[in-house]
Amino acid sequence: MELVRGLVVISIIVIFLLQNSSNVQGRYHHHKTKNKSSKKPGSPVSPSPDPQHPSVPSSPVNTPPIPSDPSTSDRIFDVKSYGAVGDGSADDTNAFVAAWKAACEVESGVVLAPSGYVFMITSTIFSGPCKPGLVFQVDGLLMPPDGPDSWPEKDSRKQWLVFYRLDDMTLTGKGTIEGNGEKWWDLPCKPHRSSNGKASKGPCDSPALIRFFMSSNLVISNLRIQNSPQFHMKFDGCQGVLIQQLYISSPKLSPNTDGIHIENTKTVGIYNSLISNGDDCISIGTGSSNVDIEAVTCGPSHGISIGSLGVHNSQACVSNITVRNAIIRDSDNGVRIKTWQGGTGSVSGISFQDIQMENVRNCMIIDQYYCMSKGCRNQTSAVYVTDISYRNIKGTYDVRTPPIHFACSDTVPCTKITLSEVELLPEEGELVDDPFCWNAYGTEETVTIPPLNCLRDGEPESEGEVASYGC
């Protein structure tokens, strides 16, 4: 009888455990489904590096969210498994190329440069097409050879990492991409270290650190990118780019180290990033449109620039650019449009809004006489600048230059400039009350500080002829 009772008790316990196991499994699957559905592709939500900007705006492009670790190890291609040493001196290029080729053939493949290692690779083109969802994940430190003397002669000196002909690809990670740029900056053809500010003649090719070329639906996030020999990141001929939560840095006097350069690229979002460098924080070249920049902190730098455009009498077309909720500090320029004389085309539909200036020279500048030397001659043709708005631009400026400078072409005036709630005060010293305008037409919706008495009302008489310069 006791044996029977014991068997009954054991049966009850087993049934109870089975029921609870089923319930736990059911709750687990329900939790996974809920999490998966709550994250919409193209609308990643993550903390901001700047406490003044607590959230990431939605992506303007239809790109996938940054992927989590794949559920199966056969999607992860660790470069260590392909022979990478990761000691900072061995050449790990072949291992990265082999891992890339393997990951390229697998949907949602991950090329992994793991943490705890320093990988050195030479100039490399990672090309597609590849299966969708490819991830290049840098959790360790990745760097090029140390300076021009260590650069292989057979390698291009114009670029280091190139991502070419890719669709639906992510560059991310918890690590650092180190450019080893210092020896490049010290070349005698660079003017920043010479006492007289003049550069010596001679070749001066310095590589851009990262270049995306002819690619689409890209996500670049979370990385620290620093000390590039030249531009830190370039996008050329791309469509659909989401950049968020990057930390880009190089010294204030490092020459030509633009943070992010965009050219012939459309539909771009740059969000929640910190950039300090020796040139433009963000530069936007010809052929670019539908660019949204928000919650970016720049400085020290040369500010956020559209241009330079129209060099060598070329046509330049830039449209629909928005910069908002940004901070620019300790910079040579704030928000700038710069064009060469002799160009054609147009810059239109530009919005600068909710921008805080902190000790900035040339807070708001349109320069249609941009020139890299004193030998530029006057020309009648110019890029047409129109429909430019400045709203809620506030903060402090460096009194060495006026905070507002609109120098438009003699023959092709700037039109439809709008200013509202512009309040700029000197960082120190007395108020500079002589903003500069030349051949600039527009409207002040509110009183500007300092007073802007040089902006012309209405439209120029030759508006129809001017419009013919557009794209």
Side-chain angles (χ1 to χ4, degrees):
M1 188 68 177
E2 292 297 327
L3 178 60
V4 172
R5 289 178 179 173
L7 291 172
V8 170
V9 170
I10 291 172
S11 299
I12 292 171
I13 292 172
V14 169
I15 292 170
F16 177 78
L17 289 174
L18 287 172
Q19 287 177 335
N20 275 275
S21 173
S22 176
N23 288 340
V24 170
Q25 187 70 12
R27 287 197 301 271
Y28 175 71
H29 281 295
H30 174 72
H31 181 67
K32 281 187 71 177
T33 302
K34 182 177 180 181
N35 273 353
K36 186 174 181 180
S37 65
S38 65
K39 189 169 185 179
K40 297 180 180 179
S43 302
V45 178
S46 49
S48 165
D50 189 334
Q52 296 194 39
H53 306 298
S55 64
V56 178
S58 298
S59 162
V61 293
N62 187 22
T63 50
I66 298 167
S68 59
D69 290 338
S71 58
T72 55
S73 60
D74 60 354
R75 294 182 184 177
I76 300 177
F77 300 86
D78 189 329
V79 295
K80 292 283 289 178
S81 300
Y82 290 83
V85 178
D87 63 357
S89 58
D91 184 352
D92 292 323
T93 307
N94 290 338
F96 273 77
V97 171
W100 172 271
K101 288 181 177 178
C104 182
E105 298 298 322
V106 177
E107 189 168 338
S108 300
V110 178
V111 177
L112 176 63
S115 61
Y117 297 94
V118 178
F119 302 99
M120 191 278 290
I121 68 174
T122 59
S123 177
T124 305
I125 298 176
F126 295 100
S127 62
C130 294
K131 294 290 180 65
L134 181 61
V135 178
F136 194 105
Q137 183 168 325
V138 180
D139 287 343
L141 189 146
L142 182 61
M143 66 181 188
D146 187 16
D149 292 340
S150 302
W151 206 263
E153 290 186 8
K154 63 180 178 61
D155 286 358
S156 168
R157 289 200 172 201
K158 295 185 179 297
Q159 52 201 15
W160 177 51
L161 292 185
V162 180
F163 297 96
Y164 173 55
R165 292 181 62 203
L166 295 164
D167 180 63
D168 188 11
M169 182 252 176
T170 296
L171 173 63
T172 188
K174 302 175 183 177
T176 298
I177 298 179
E178 165 62 51
N180 287 336
E182 185 171 359
K183 293 178 181 178
W184 296 94
W185 308 330
D186 286 339
L187 290 174
C189 55
K190 304 285 187 178
H192 74 295
R193 300 234 182 224
S194 59
S195 58
N196 60 7
K198 295 182 179 180
S200 301
K201 293 182 179 180
C204 202
D205 287 339
S206 298
L209 199 61
I210 303 168
R211 183 188 183 199
F212 287 89
F213 181 50
M214 300 297 290
S215 296
S216 59
N217 298 315
L218 305 170
V219 177
I220 300 91
S221 67
N222 297 325
L223 287 165
R224 175 183 289 264
I225 303 170
Q226 62 192 31
N227 300 321
S228 175
Q230 201 196 56
F231 291 9
H232 286 78
M233 300 191 76
K234 292 178 68 175
F235 296 85
D236 189 2
C238 295
Q239 172 82 36
V241 179
L242 172 61
I243 302 169
Q244 62 177 4
Q245 292 191 310
L246 293 187
Y247 180 83
I248 297 175
S249 69
S250 60
K252 184 177 181 179
L253 294 179
S254 56
N256 305 120
T257 53
D258 292 44
I260 300 171
H261 178 72
I262 302 164
E263 191 159 330
N264 297 311
T265 293
K266 297 173 174 58
T267 316
V268 179
I270 305 175
Y271 305 123
N272 280 359
S273 294
L274 304 175
I275 304 174
S276 60
N277 58 315
D279 211 301
D280 293 333
C281 165
I282 299 171
S283 55
I284 300 171
T286 186
S288 300
S289 63
N290 300 325
V291 178
D292 187 35
I293 301 168
E294 181 167 3
V296 169
T297 298
C298 292
S301 72
H302 291 184
I304 298 175
S305 293
I306 297 174
S308 60
L309 304 173
V311 65
H312 303 313
N313 305 105
S314 61
Q315 184 184 48
C317 300
V318 175
S319 62
N320 298 332
I321 312 295
T322 300
V323 180
R324 51 188 170 147
N325 299 329
I327 299 173
I328 302 176
R329 57 168 61 105
D330 300 321
S331 296
D332 288 350
N333 301 286
V335 289
R336 174 169 59 160
I337 299 172
K338 50 181 178 177
T339 72
W340 296 75
Q341 293 189 74
T344 59
S346 66
V347 176
S348 63
I350 313 299
S351 173
F352 301 113
Q353 182 173 346
D354 302 327
I355 299 174
Q356 180 71 24
M357 303 285 181
E358 298 177 5
N359 192 30
V360 175
R361 298 182 69 178
N362 303 311
C363 295
M364 299 158 46
I365 177 170
I366 299 174
D367 180 9
Q368 295 212 267
Y369 300 88
Y370 184 73
C371 179
M372 296 293 288
S373 68
K374 295 182 179 180
C376 297
R377 60 186 180 86
N378 288 334
Q379 299 187 52
T380 56
S381 179
V383 176
Y384 178 36
V385 176
T386 185
D387 189 16
I388 317 295
S389 68
Y390 302 88
R391 298 183 183 278
N392 195 28
I393 314 293
K394 298 181 179 180
T396 62
Y397 62 88
D398 185 323
V399 297
R400 288 177 292 174
T401 53
I404 303 174
H405 184 95
F406 296 152
C408 300
S409 165
D410 289 339
T411 55
V412 187
C414 305
T415 65
K416 299 179 182 177
I417 298 173
T418 303
L419 291 86
S420 177
E421 298 185 76
V422 174
E423 298 177 9
L424 298 167
L425 300 172
E427 175 72 14
E428 56 184 25
E430 297 183 359
L431 180 71
V432 176
D433 59 357
D434 59 345
F436 178 82
C437 307
W438 178 255
N439 214 13
Y441 288 78
T443 304
E444 288 183 79
E445 294 181 347
T446 62
V447 176
T448 299
I449 302 175
L452 185 69
N453 299 318
C454 55
L455 192 66
R456 297 184 178 184
D457 293 331
E459 301 284 352
E461 293 180 2
S462 58
E463 172 68 10
E465 181 179 342
V466 166
S468 66
Y469 281 85
C471 295

